[in-house]
mmCIF file of all heavy atoms in Angstrom:
data_model
loop_
_atom_site.group_PDB
_atom_site.id
_atom_site.type_symbol
_atom_site.label_atom_id
_atom_site.label_comp_id
_atom_site.label_asym_id
_atom_site.label_seq_id
_atom_site.Cartn_x
_atom_site.Cartn_y
_atom_site.Cartn_z
ATOM 1 N N GLU A 21 106.604 103.896 92.167
ATOM 2 C CA GLU A 21 107.411 103.282 91.145
ATOM 3 C C GLU A 21 106.522 102.888 89.899
ATOM 4 O O GLU A 21 107.120 103.144 88.841
ATOM 5 C CB GLU A 21 108.207 102.002 91.674
ATOM 6 C CG GLU A 21 109.010 102.301 92.820
ATOM 7 C CD GLU A 21 109.461 101.080 93.586
ATOM 8 O OE1 GLU A 21 109.053 99.919 93.160
ATOM 9 O OE2 GLU A 21 110.226 101.141 94.617
ATOM 10 N N ASP A 22 105.337 102.366 90.144
ATOM 11 C CA ASP A 22 104.632 101.900 89.020
ATOM 12 C C ASP A 22 103.125 102.114 89.424
ATOM 13 O O ASP A 22 102.617 101.533 90.472
ATOM 14 C CB ASP A 22 104.861 100.340 88.791
ATOM 15 C CG ASP A 22 104.003 99.799 87.754
ATOM 16 O OD1 ASP A 22 102.829 99.536 87.957
ATOM 17 O OD2 ASP A 22 104.609 99.644 86.695
ATOM 18 N N LEU A 23 102.416 102.925 88.729
ATOM 19 C CA LEU A 23 101.005 103.290 88.974
ATOM 20 C C LEU A 23 100.016 102.074 89.049
ATOM 21 O O LEU A 23 99.325 101.939 90.011
ATOM 22 C CB LEU A 23 100.461 104.331 87.927
ATOM 23 C CG LEU A 23 99.153 104.754 88.279
ATOM 24 C CD1 LEU A 23 99.056 105.527 89.597
ATOM 25 C CD2 LEU A 23 98.667 105.724 87.177
ATOM 26 N N ALA A 24 100.292 101.129 88.124
ATOM 27 C CA ALA A 24 99.412 99.967 88.117
ATOM 28 C C ALA A 24 99.588 99.112 89.242
ATOM 29 O O ALA A 24 98.594 98.570 89.845
ATOM 30 C CB ALA A 24 99.574 99.153 86.734
ATOM 31 N N LYS A 25 100.819 98.877 89.591
ATOM 32 C CA LYS A 25 101.237 98.102 90.870
ATOM 33 C C LYS A 25 100.666 98.794 92.152
ATOM 34 O O LYS A 25 99.891 98.078 92.938
ATOM 35 C CB LYS A 25 102.659 97.935 90.970
ATOM 36 C CG LYS A 25 103.146 97.301 92.285
ATOM 37 C CD LYS A 25 104.657 97.280 92.357
ATOM 38 C CE LYS A 25 105.076 96.661 93.688
ATOM 39 N NZ LYS A 25 106.481 96.724 93.842
ATOM 40 N N TRP A 26 100.844 100.101 92.202
ATOM 41 C CA TRP A 26 100.314 100.739 93.314
ATOM 42 C C TRP A 26 98.788 100.609 93.453
ATOM 43 O O TRP A 26 98.125 100.334 94.505
ATOM 44 C CB TRP A 26 100.624 102.223 93.342
ATOM 45 C CG TRP A 26 99.761 103.128 94.229
ATOM 46 C CD1 TRP A 26 100.099 103.144 95.577
ATOM 47 C CD2 TRP A 26 98.609 103.700 94.045
ATOM 48 N NE1 TRP A 26 98.938 103.915 96.182
ATOM 49 C CE2 TRP A 26 98.209 104.369 95.216
ATOM 50 C CE3 TRP A 26 97.855 104.044 92.843
ATOM 51 C CZ2 TRP A 26 96.965 105.025 95.277
ATOM 52 C CZ3 TRP A 26 96.726 104.759 92.923
ATOM 53 C CH2 TRP A 26 96.247 105.218 94.174
ATOM 54 N N LYS A 27 98.074 100.826 92.265
ATOM 55 C CA LYS A 27 96.636 100.794 92.187
ATOM 56 C C LYS A 27 96.030 99.466 92.670
ATOM 57 O O LYS A 27 95.108 99.407 93.542
ATOM 58 C CB LYS A 27 96.040 101.125 90.863
ATOM 59 C CG LYS A 27 94.705 101.233 90.755
ATOM 60 C CD LYS A 27 94.154 101.681 89.321
ATOM 61 C CE LYS A 27 92.656 101.892 89.288
ATOM 62 N NZ LYS A 27 91.985 100.678 88.731
ATOM 63 N N THR A 28 96.681 98.400 92.314
ATOM 64 C CA THR A 28 96.349 97.097 92.797
ATOM 65 C C THR A 28 96.401 96.909 94.349
ATOM 66 O O THR A 28 95.408 96.489 94.914
ATOM 67 C CB THR A 28 97.132 95.823 92.128
ATOM 68 O OG1 THR A 28 96.981 96.052 90.669
ATOM 69 C CG2 THR A 28 96.829 94.582 92.614
ATOM 70 N N VAL A 29 97.502 97.298 94.868
ATOM 71 C CA VAL A 29 97.652 97.282 96.322
ATOM 72 C C VAL A 29 96.733 98.101 97.100
ATOM 73 O O VAL A 29 96.099 97.787 98.122
ATOM 74 C CB VAL A 29 99.140 97.529 96.740
ATOM 75 C CG1 VAL A 29 99.345 97.504 98.189
ATOM 76 C CG2 VAL A 29 100.067 96.550 96.148
ATOM 77 N N PHE A 30 96.524 99.411 96.406
ATOM 78 C CA PHE A 30 95.619 100.292 97.100
ATOM 79 C C PHE A 30 94.175 99.730 97.219
ATOM 80 O O PHE A 30 93.507 99.995 98.210
ATOM 81 C CB PHE A 30 95.718 101.723 96.279
ATOM 82 C CG PHE A 30 94.879 102.716 97.000
ATOM 83 C CD1 PHE A 30 95.379 103.370 98.110
ATOM 84 C CD2 PHE A 30 93.606 103.120 96.388
ATOM 85 C CE1 PHE A 30 94.609 104.447 98.663
ATOM 86 C CE2 PHE A 30 93.004 104.197 97.018
ATOM 87 C CZ PHE A 30 93.457 104.887 98.077
ATOM 88 N N GLU A 31 93.819 99.137 96.032
ATOM 89 C CA GLU A 31 92.417 98.573 96.118
ATOM 90 C C GLU A 31 92.345 97.544 97.075
ATOM 91 O O GLU A 31 91.342 97.217 97.751
ATOM 92 C CB GLU A 31 91.995 98.176 94.660
ATOM 93 C CG GLU A 31 91.774 99.340 93.801
ATOM 94 C CD GLU A 31 91.687 99.030 92.277
ATOM 95 O OE1 GLU A 31 91.964 97.877 91.884
ATOM 96 O OE2 GLU A 31 91.265 99.909 91.453
ATOM 97 N N GLU A 32 93.319 96.651 97.167
ATOM 98 C CA GLU A 32 93.330 95.553 98.117
ATOM 99 C C GLU A 32 93.220 95.890 99.484
ATOM 100 O O GLU A 32 92.764 95.177 100.519
ATOM 101 C CB GLU A 32 94.538 94.588 97.890
ATOM 102 C CG GLU A 32 94.576 93.817 96.519
ATOM 103 C CD GLU A 32 95.813 93.159 96.380
ATOM 104 O OE1 GLU A 32 96.765 93.422 97.031
ATOM 105 O OE2 GLU A 32 95.871 92.403 95.229
ATOM 106 N N ALA A 33 93.811 97.157 99.863
ATOM 107 C CA ALA A 33 93.835 97.678 101.243
ATOM 108 C C ALA A 33 92.532 98.324 101.703
ATOM 109 O O ALA A 33 92.369 99.063 102.739
ATOM 110 C CB ALA A 33 94.975 98.756 101.359
ATOM 111 N N ALA A 34 91.448 98.228 100.899
ATOM 112 C CA ALA A 34 90.103 98.934 101.217
ATOM 113 C C ALA A 34 89.721 98.500 102.581
ATOM 114 O O ALA A 34 89.078 99.267 103.380
ATOM 115 C CB ALA A 34 89.076 98.559 100.256
ATOM 116 N N ASP A 35 89.727 97.302 103.030
ATOM 117 C CA ASP A 35 89.281 96.806 104.297
ATOM 118 C C ASP A 35 90.155 97.500 105.483
ATOM 119 O O ASP A 35 89.596 97.709 106.468
ATOM 120 C CB ASP A 35 89.443 95.293 104.526
ATOM 121 C CG ASP A 35 88.304 94.652 103.715
ATOM 122 O OD1 ASP A 35 87.256 95.277 103.358
ATOM 123 O OD2 ASP A 35 88.577 93.425 103.358
ATOM 124 N N VAL A 36 91.392 97.780 105.153
ATOM 125 C CA VAL A 36 92.260 98.425 106.297
ATOM 126 C C VAL A 36 91.705 99.919 106.416
ATOM 127 O O VAL A 36 91.550 100.280 107.547
ATOM 128 C CB VAL A 36 93.809 98.483 105.787
ATOM 129 C CG1 VAL A 36 94.468 99.426 106.788
ATOM 130 C CG2 VAL A 36 94.300 97.047 105.689
ATOM 131 N N ARG A 37 91.430 100.507 105.304
ATOM 132 C CA ARG A 37 90.921 102.016 105.373
ATOM 133 C C ARG A 37 89.553 101.908 106.157
ATOM 134 O O ARG A 37 89.314 102.807 106.995
ATOM 135 C CB ARG A 37 90.841 102.612 104.002
ATOM 136 C CG ARG A 37 92.164 102.895 103.481
ATOM 137 C CD ARG A 37 92.053 103.768 102.049
ATOM 138 N NE ARG A 37 91.311 103.013 101.045
ATOM 139 C CZ ARG A 37 91.796 102.213 100.154
ATOM 140 N NH1 ARG A 37 93.039 101.741 100.289
ATOM 141 N NH2 ARG A 37 91.009 101.541 99.309
ATOM 142 N N LYS A 38 88.718 100.997 105.782
ATOM 143 C CA LYS A 38 87.414 100.940 106.262
ATOM 144 C C LYS A 38 87.357 100.660 107.804
ATOM 145 O O LYS A 38 86.665 101.283 108.562
ATOM 146 C CB LYS A 38 86.454 99.859 105.665
ATOM 147 C CG LYS A 38 86.081 100.252 104.278
ATOM 148 C CD LYS A 38 85.290 99.021 103.650
ATOM 149 C CE LYS A 38 84.851 99.375 102.129
ATOM 150 N NZ LYS A 38 84.170 98.227 101.544
ATOM 151 N N GLY A 39 88.368 99.866 108.224
ATOM 152 C CA GLY A 39 88.619 99.597 109.671
ATOM 153 C C GLY A 39 88.977 100.797 110.459
ATOM 154 O O GLY A 39 88.810 100.786 111.705
ATOM 155 N N PHE A 40 89.585 101.764 109.874
ATOM 156 C CA PHE A 40 89.870 103.105 110.460
ATOM 157 C C PHE A 40 88.830 104.166 110.158
ATOM 158 O O PHE A 40 89.230 105.371 110.366
ATOM 159 C CB PHE A 40 91.288 103.473 110.024
ATOM 160 C CG PHE A 40 92.462 102.645 110.668
ATOM 161 C CD1 PHE A 40 93.056 101.522 110.038
ATOM 162 C CD2 PHE A 40 92.845 102.873 111.944
ATOM 163 C CE1 PHE A 40 94.025 100.701 110.663
ATOM 164 C CE2 PHE A 40 93.819 102.184 112.541
ATOM 165 C CZ PHE A 40 94.419 101.112 111.990
ATOM 166 N N GLY A 41 87.811 103.833 109.611
ATOM 167 C CA GLY A 41 86.782 104.834 109.541
ATOM 168 C C GLY A 41 86.634 105.536 108.110
ATOM 169 O O GLY A 41 85.985 106.560 108.058
ATOM 170 N N SER A 42 87.365 104.973 107.101
ATOM 171 C CA SER A 42 87.244 105.599 105.752
ATOM 172 C C SER A 42 85.844 105.579 105.335
ATOM 173 O O SER A 42 85.113 104.499 105.489
ATOM 174 C CB SER A 42 88.158 104.799 104.834
ATOM 175 O OG SER A 42 87.823 105.294 103.423
ATOM 176 N N MET A 43 85.292 106.719 104.836
ATOM 177 C CA MET A 43 84.076 106.799 104.106
ATOM 178 C C MET A 43 84.065 106.859 102.663
ATOM 179 O O MET A 43 83.128 106.956 102.011
ATOM 180 C CB MET A 43 83.395 107.977 104.755
ATOM 181 C CG MET A 43 83.122 107.815 106.225
ATOM 182 S SD MET A 43 82.615 109.397 107.059
ATOM 183 C CE MET A 43 81.125 109.649 106.242
ATOM 184 N N GLY A 44 85.275 106.716 102.058
ATOM 185 C CA GLY A 44 85.608 106.720 100.643
ATOM 186 C C GLY A 44 86.764 107.406 100.318
ATOM 187 O O GLY A 44 87.198 108.253 101.113
ATOM 188 N N VAL A 45 87.409 107.231 99.279
ATOM 189 C CA VAL A 45 88.614 107.852 98.670
ATOM 190 C C VAL A 45 88.478 108.136 97.207
ATOM 191 O O VAL A 45 87.861 107.333 96.492
ATOM 192 C CB VAL A 45 89.877 106.973 99.098
ATOM 193 C CG1 VAL A 45 90.140 106.956 100.507
ATOM 194 C CG2 VAL A 45 89.814 105.676 98.513
ATOM 195 N N ARG A 46 89.202 109.129 96.788
ATOM 196 C CA ARG A 46 89.427 109.359 95.393
ATOM 197 C C ARG A 46 90.826 109.490 95.078
ATOM 198 O O ARG A 46 91.550 110.224 95.836
ATOM 199 C CB ARG A 46 88.582 110.518 95.077
ATOM 200 C CG ARG A 46 87.086 110.523 95.110
ATOM 201 C CD ARG A 46 86.401 111.822 94.870
ATOM 202 N NE ARG A 46 86.321 112.003 93.481
ATOM 203 C CZ ARG A 46 85.813 112.929 92.895
ATOM 204 N NH1 ARG A 46 85.277 113.970 93.592
ATOM 205 N NH2 ARG A 46 85.754 113.083 91.453
ATOM 206 N N GLY A 47 91.349 108.893 94.023
ATOM 207 C CA GLY A 47 92.634 108.940 93.675
ATOM 208 C C GLY A 47 92.905 109.611 92.387
ATOM 209 O O GLY A 47 92.122 109.532 91.500
ATOM 210 N N PHE A 48 94.010 110.368 92.325
ATOM 211 C CA PHE A 48 94.336 111.044 91.034
ATOM 212 C C PHE A 48 95.842 110.906 90.761
ATOM 213 O O PHE A 48 96.566 110.764 91.705
ATOM 214 C CB PHE A 48 93.994 112.645 91.307
ATOM 215 C CG PHE A 48 92.657 112.876 91.752
ATOM 216 C CD1 PHE A 48 92.278 112.911 93.068
ATOM 217 C CD2 PHE A 48 91.706 113.144 90.725
ATOM 218 C CE1 PHE A 48 91.154 113.258 93.509
ATOM 219 C CE2 PHE A 48 90.461 113.467 91.321
ATOM 220 C CZ PHE A 48 89.969 113.420 92.579
ATOM 221 N N SER A 49 96.221 110.996 89.542
ATOM 222 C CA SER A 49 97.578 111.082 89.121
ATOM 223 C C SER A 49 97.855 112.397 88.417
ATOM 224 O O SER A 49 96.839 112.862 87.710
ATOM 225 C CB SER A 49 98.052 109.828 88.332
ATOM 226 O OG SER A 49 97.340 109.800 87.131
ATOM 227 N N LYS A 50 98.919 112.919 88.542
ATOM 228 C CA LYS A 50 99.278 114.087 87.970
ATOM 229 C C LYS A 50 99.353 113.943 86.392
ATOM 230 O O LYS A 50 100.057 113.130 85.931
ATOM 231 C CB LYS A 50 100.627 114.588 88.461
ATOM 232 C CG LYS A 50 100.971 116.050 88.042
ATOM 233 C CD LYS A 50 102.236 116.543 88.749
ATOM 234 C CE LYS A 50 102.656 117.984 88.364
ATOM 235 N NZ LYS A 50 103.899 118.279 88.953
ATOM 236 N N SER A 51 98.791 114.764 85.756
ATOM 237 C CA SER A 51 98.750 114.929 84.216
ATOM 238 C C SER A 51 100.196 114.988 83.845
ATOM 239 O O SER A 51 100.912 115.877 84.216
ATOM 240 C CB SER A 51 97.888 115.980 83.713
ATOM 241 O OG SER A 51 96.895 115.582 82.930
ATOM 242 N N GLY A 52 100.679 114.185 83.000
ATOM 243 C CA GLY A 52 102.104 114.323 82.425
ATOM 244 C C GLY A 52 103.059 113.628 83.312
ATOM 245 O O GLY A 52 104.168 113.462 82.948
ATOM 246 N N SER A 53 102.606 113.262 84.414
ATOM 247 C CA SER A 53 103.491 112.542 85.474
ATOM 248 C C SER A 53 102.741 111.562 86.309
ATOM 249 O O SER A 53 102.488 111.802 87.497
ATOM 250 C CB SER A 53 104.152 113.612 86.368
ATOM 251 O OG SER A 53 105.161 113.052 87.196
ATOM 252 N N PRO A 54 102.317 110.436 85.637
ATOM 253 C CA PRO A 54 101.288 109.632 86.257
ATOM 254 C C PRO A 54 101.834 108.869 87.531
ATOM 255 O O PRO A 54 100.947 108.400 88.297
ATOM 256 C CB PRO A 54 101.103 108.458 85.081
ATOM 257 C CG PRO A 54 102.213 108.608 84.300
ATOM 258 C CD PRO A 54 102.726 109.961 84.277
ATOM 259 N N ASN A 55 103.059 108.944 87.822
ATOM 260 C CA ASN A 55 103.561 108.314 89.032
ATOM 261 C C ASN A 55 103.479 109.235 90.226
ATOM 262 O O ASN A 55 103.774 108.691 91.359
ATOM 263 C CB ASN A 55 104.922 107.727 88.983
ATOM 264 C CG ASN A 55 104.934 106.543 87.966
ATOM 265 O OD1 ASN A 55 103.937 106.010 87.653
ATOM 266 N ND2 ASN A 55 106.188 106.157 87.614
ATOM 267 N N GLU A 56 103.100 110.401 89.956
ATOM 268 C CA GLU A 56 102.808 111.270 91.137
ATOM 269 C C GLU A 56 101.265 111.206 91.417
ATOM 270 O O GLU A 56 100.359 111.484 90.625
ATOM 271 C CB GLU A 56 103.213 112.760 90.742
ATOM 272 C CG GLU A 56 104.701 113.003 90.586
ATOM 273 C CD GLU A 56 105.039 114.422 90.352
ATOM 274 O OE1 GLU A 56 104.547 115.292 91.085
ATOM 275 O OE2 GLU A 56 105.824 114.565 89.426
ATOM 276 N N VAL A 57 100.961 110.873 92.568
ATOM 277 C CA VAL A 57 99.545 110.486 93.019
ATOM 278 C C VAL A 57 99.222 111.330 94.174
ATOM 279 O O VAL A 57 99.795 111.714 95.058
ATOM 280 C CB VAL A 57 99.566 108.889 93.502
ATOM 281 C CG1 VAL A 57 98.105 108.614 93.963
ATOM 282 C CG2 VAL A 57 100.017 107.995 92.396
ATOM 283 N N VAL A 58 97.910 111.716 94.046
ATOM 284 C CA VAL A 58 97.152 112.368 95.153
ATOM 285 C C VAL A 58 95.774 111.612 95.506
ATOM 286 O O VAL A 58 95.088 111.286 94.628
ATOM 287 C CB VAL A 58 96.747 113.886 94.651
ATOM 288 C CG1 VAL A 58 95.985 114.595 95.693
ATOM 289 C CG2 VAL A 58 98.090 114.640 94.341
ATOM 290 N N ILE A 59 95.731 111.414 96.733
ATOM 291 C CA ILE A 59 94.464 110.819 97.256
ATOM 292 C C ILE A 59 93.673 111.773 98.101
ATOM 293 O O ILE A 59 94.285 112.518 98.937
ATOM 294 C CB ILE A 59 94.877 109.546 98.190
ATOM 295 C CG1 ILE A 59 95.673 108.608 97.347
ATOM 296 C CG2 ILE A 59 93.641 108.898 98.696
ATOM 297 C CD1 ILE A 59 95.057 108.017 96.274
ATOM 298 N N LEU A 60 92.472 111.746 97.941
ATOM 299 C CA LEU A 60 91.553 112.642 98.814
ATOM 300 C C LEU A 60 90.560 111.621 99.452
ATOM 301 O O LEU A 60 89.805 110.995 98.873
ATOM 302 C CB LEU A 60 90.704 113.720 98.039
ATOM 303 C CG LEU A 60 89.728 114.472 98.906
ATOM 304 C CD1 LEU A 60 90.608 115.265 99.900
ATOM 305 C CD2 LEU A 60 88.996 115.330 97.966
ATOM 306 N N GLY A 61 90.670 111.493 100.815
ATOM 307 C CA GLY A 61 89.865 110.507 101.542
ATOM 308 C C GLY A 61 89.120 111.255 102.598
ATOM 309 O O GLY A 61 89.257 112.384 103.002
ATOM 310 N N GLU A 62 87.852 110.583 102.771
ATOM 311 C CA GLU A 62 87.001 111.139 103.772
ATOM 312 C C GLU A 62 86.800 110.176 104.933
ATOM 313 O O GLU A 62 86.751 108.946 104.765
ATOM 314 C CB GLU A 62 85.588 111.361 103.046
ATOM 315 C CG GLU A 62 84.489 111.863 104.007
ATOM 316 C CD GLU A 62 83.275 112.032 103.120
ATOM 317 O OE1 GLU A 62 83.317 111.984 101.846
ATOM 318 O OE2 GLU A 62 82.179 112.422 103.680
ATOM 319 N N TYR A 63 87.022 110.639 106.236
ATOM 320 C CA TYR A 63 87.032 109.825 107.293
ATOM 321 C C TYR A 63 86.074 110.297 108.394
ATOM 322 O O TYR A 63 85.906 111.446 108.523
ATOM 323 C CB TYR A 63 88.474 109.669 107.894
ATOM 324 C CG TYR A 63 89.389 108.857 107.078
ATOM 325 C CD1 TYR A 63 89.930 109.459 105.934
ATOM 326 C CD2 TYR A 63 89.612 107.636 107.393
ATOM 327 C CE1 TYR A 63 90.815 108.805 105.165
ATOM 328 C CE2 TYR A 63 90.585 106.927 106.619
ATOM 329 C CZ TYR A 63 91.159 107.440 105.411
ATOM 330 O OH TYR A 63 91.937 106.715 104.615
ATOM 331 N N ALA A 64 85.461 109.289 109.106
ATOM 332 C CA ALA A 64 84.491 109.735 110.203
ATOM 333 C C ALA A 64 85.130 110.290 111.343
ATOM 334 O O ALA A 64 84.418 111.143 111.834
ATOM 335 C CB ALA A 64 83.819 108.373 110.587
ATOM 336 N N ASP A 65 86.366 110.097 111.627
ATOM 337 C CA ASP A 65 86.987 110.595 112.806
ATOM 338 C C ASP A 65 88.608 110.873 112.550
ATOM 339 O O ASP A 65 89.230 109.991 112.054
ATOM 340 C CB ASP A 65 86.900 109.476 113.779
ATOM 341 C CG ASP A 65 87.576 109.935 115.141
ATOM 342 O OD1 ASP A 65 86.981 110.753 115.952
ATOM 343 O OD2 ASP A 65 88.662 109.327 115.519
ATOM 344 N N LYS A 66 88.936 111.996 112.890
ATOM 345 C CA LYS A 66 90.259 112.450 112.676
ATOM 346 C C LYS A 66 91.311 111.543 113.471
ATOM 347 O O LYS A 66 92.375 111.068 112.923
ATOM 348 C CB LYS A 66 90.583 113.998 113.042
ATOM 349 C CG LYS A 66 92.022 114.305 112.713
ATOM 350 C CD LYS A 66 92.199 115.749 113.191
ATOM 351 C CE LYS A 66 93.606 116.216 113.012
ATOM 352 N NZ LYS A 66 93.780 117.637 113.286
ATOM 353 N N GLY A 67 91.014 111.210 114.821
ATOM 354 C CA GLY A 67 91.824 110.461 115.465
ATOM 355 C C GLY A 67 92.008 108.982 114.915
ATOM 356 O O GLY A 67 93.133 108.562 114.818
ATOM 357 N N LYS A 68 90.940 108.428 114.378
ATOM 358 C CA LYS A 68 91.147 107.095 113.790
ATOM 359 C C LYS A 68 91.825 107.091 112.540
ATOM 360 O O LYS A 68 92.659 106.314 112.203
ATOM 361 C CB LYS A 68 89.790 106.469 113.571
ATOM 362 C CG LYS A 68 89.195 105.976 114.894
ATOM 363 C CD LYS A 68 87.797 105.319 114.674
ATOM 364 C CE LYS A 68 87.987 103.908 114.090
ATOM 365 N NZ LYS A 68 86.932 103.006 113.940
#
C-alpha cells in the first residue's frame, strides 16, 4: 500500500529473518511503480 510504511516494518523484522537463517536481503521497487517490490534473500537452509 505504501513503500515507506512497508520499509519500516521490513527493517524491524530483521531479527525474525535472522532467526530463520537469513544471511542478508536486498530489496528493490519497480521503476515507475514503487509499490511493486522484489526482495532477493540469501538463506543458509531452504527448510528453515
